[in-house]
Amino acid sequence: MSSGMRATGTRDTVVAEPKASRAPVPVWLFFLLFVLLFWAMYEFDRRGGWFHSQVYTPYRSLAELQRYQPATGGISLERGKVVYETVCALCHNTDGSGKPNQAPPLSGADWVVGSPDRLIRIPLAGLTGPIEVKGQTWNLAMPAMGAALSDDDLAAVLTYMRSAWGNQAEAITPDQVAAVRAALAGRMQPYTAAELQAIP
Amino acid sequence: MSSKSAFQTATGDSLPADISCRWPLFVLLSGAVFWLLAGSILTLIGTIKFHAPDFLAEPAWLTYGRVRPAGLNAMIYGFCLPSALGLTLWLLARLGRTTLAGAIPVVFGGLLWHLGVGAGVVGVLSGDATGFEHLEFPSYAVAMIAASYLVLGVAGVLTFRQRAERGLFVTQWFLLAAIFWFPWIYSTATILTSVYPVRGMAQAVVGWWFSANLILVWFGLVGLGIVFYLLPRLLDRELESHYLAMFVFWMLILFGTWTGIPKTAPVPAWIPMMSKVTTVLAGLALLGAALILHRTLGADYRLLSTDPSLMFAGFAVASFVIAGFMGIAEVLSGASSMLHLSWYATARSWLQLYGFFAMALFAGIYYVWPQLTGRPFPLPRLVRLHFWLAASGVMLAVIPLAVGGIVQDGNHANPEMAFVDVAKGTLTFLRISSIGDVLTLAGHFLLALNVLLAIGAFCWDRVRIALRTATIELQEQGVNS
């Protein structure tokens, strides 16, 4: 048996185990390695969220993610929801859609997402007379439902209303509420829509 | 040589490595061939259900959700691992110019392994599966397999340690790394999914990590290790080259181990992103492997047809490269593409598991077996026939599934199309791919036949030698008296 007989089905009797040549790795493979490493780092930097446990695809960074967070300004939305459901939902409905002949809708209403100074006045002093909400005129009266609430709670409920049911507007802070409350100086008279329009 | 009689040439002269590996490898490899048959029959039953849902629908243990994982696990743990380990032990003994350390424990280890696989397959069929892909075997089977691995792995390391040839060949690094890699990934995955399960999505991440490490890294290490031995051996030339193989080795290990987490996984973005970039980087290992094949052949691919083991080995490398690039295409496809949730992914992992790894193992088994017995396979023509059946079977199974998956993915993106219609649209592709499964199964019967006859012939040789020696002794006694 010669050493040349090394085909499948024959047996090796002379052992000349294989060797590997010492030819170098082609340079272009290393070049490619560095190009791909560069691409990998670029790609990871761009979309990997840098190991942050709260960043999920398709978001790329914590900053981007925060842009899509409901604006709360440090106010608890959960608290706002609780206040809303105990104080306001009876008339305005839990989903903010209002109730016919009882109270106009809050979702999508300009009064809610618009000027904070007008909005804060409504629960603090109440509202009466004709008012146009989403193209429909209502002529009812709302008592000062928020006058008894603390600044924190009123800020929380208004902020909740401004970020729930598709509404998107920045938060209302307890300081803003306190400022308006001071400006009202114990006013008991409910506002009219026309009066509110005059406030910026 | 001429002074020796025929039967002595058949069994005499064997290398110490071959003699010491004989029974351990008989046990490991013939058991593996048994599971290969069982696994592919179970898989085929699963596939037929796509065309005829009523087929064997009655007994719970033959429903799709059980036969499919039972078949796949029989394929992986019954066929792939024991044959890989058997070939590893032989290669380490041969390349180290030594004998197999602990041959007798390895025989029992091999028996325990196959018993464990039996328990696992029965367990999965009876509804005990764990629910993690590629890790479906219930705990009692895992315990047996782990105990057996301990024996086989230690035998491998000891064989390596006692080597007489100090210089290392490429194959040895690949196989030695593989010996340590498997217990690492298998124990980590089993502990984190079943023993002390991590919470929520982390379990799925562990599962994906394990699958990728098994199929890309571990199969890669062993499969390439075998191929890199057979190429220079059968071509009677040097492997091209030592450094290129080292490059492949490190690319596979450094980058391959991060891959496998799909982009839609509901986990923090860095995990799928890491997987994506490393999948692309691991592509360098594919290029390297292709280059090694190309350069060792000297660009003359016809050389592969000179030997059936070379044909299997060449096909294996081609599948390794193609499957790898299919994986890269999958991670690079656009954000809206869900290729990894279509048949395309099934096609890719089958190409990796069967087209690459099983084919590399066939190459090894067909080459090594005659070294052990000292005889060629009884039906050598069937070896080539097996190659053609396996090669056409893989292509018929993989190409339609991949194309079907791409069509399916396109249809999923079409809001006009109902999900059921999308699923029905893949049926033609599934039908063709089932034909491929039948062809590969036919090939497995050929391998089994050759192995059975070879064991029979070997034992018969043994009996003849014993008889002949006894007769000679008797005659001598007659002459003396």
Side-chain angles (χ1 to χ4, degrees), chain B residues 4 62 130 181 196 205 220 227 258 282 375 470 472:
Chain B
K4 287 176 183 161
L62 278 182
T130 66
W181 202 269
Y196 301 108
V205 172
V227 170
W258 294 86
R375 277 171 160 275
I472 293 172

Side-chain angles (χ1 to χ4, degrees), chain B residues 149-180:
Chain B
Y149 190 92
L150 205 63
V151 177
L152 303 181
V154 169
V157 175
L158 291 182
T159 307
F160 180 78
R161 274 201 51 165
Q162 72 183 23
R163 69 194 187 279
E165 168 69 57
R166 301 312 292 179
L168 289 187
F169 178 66
V170 172
T171 297
Q172 283 159 297
W173 339 314
F174 278 75
L175 296 181
L176 203 66
I179 286 187
F180 289 105

Side-chain angles (χ1 to χ4, degrees), chain A residues 6-12 15-23 25 32-33 36 40 43 48 51 53 55-57, chain B residues 12-13 15 94 169 229 233-234 236 238-243 268-270 273 276 284 307 309 366-367 371 374 376:
Chain A
R6 276 189 223 114
T8 295
T10 62
R11 196 177 85 247
D12 310 320
V15 198
E17 293 298 349
K19 296 262 174 290
S21 85
R22 298 277 149 169
V25 180
L32 194 60
L33 169 63
L36 287 180
E43 188 76 0
F51 305 103
S53 62
V55 179
Y56 283 56
T57 332
Chain B
D13 277 338
L15 296 167
R94 251 300 182 85
F169 178 66
Y229 175 85
R233 185 92 188 122
L234 290 168
D236 213 358
E238 291 189 325
L239 185 75
E240 294 291 338
S241 71
H242 178 86
Y243 296 110
W270 68 269
M273 206 54 213
K276 172 180 169 176
L284 290 163
D307 189 285
S309 283
Y366 278 123
Y367 178 74
Q371 316 299 330

Side-chain angles (χ1 to χ4, degrees), chain B residues 439-458:
Chain B
L439 291 184
T440 42
L441 175 61
H444 300 162
F445 277 107
L446 301 186
L447 172 64
L449 186 65
N450 250 331
V451 164
L452 259 182
L453 290 179
I455 294 184
F458 180 78

Side-chain angles (χ1 to χ4, degrees), chain B residues 472-481:
Chain B
I472 293 172
E473 270 173 22
L474 281 181
Q475 279 170 350
E476 279 171 356
Q477 276 172 15
V479 171
N480 288 348
S481 58

Side-chain angles (χ1 to χ4, degrees), chain A residues 113-132:
Chain A
V113 295
S115 155
D117 281 349
R118 289 179 201 161
L119 175 62
I120 298 171
R121 281 179 163 79
I122 297 174
L124 275 183
L127 182 70
T128 185
I131 180 169
E132 198 185 306

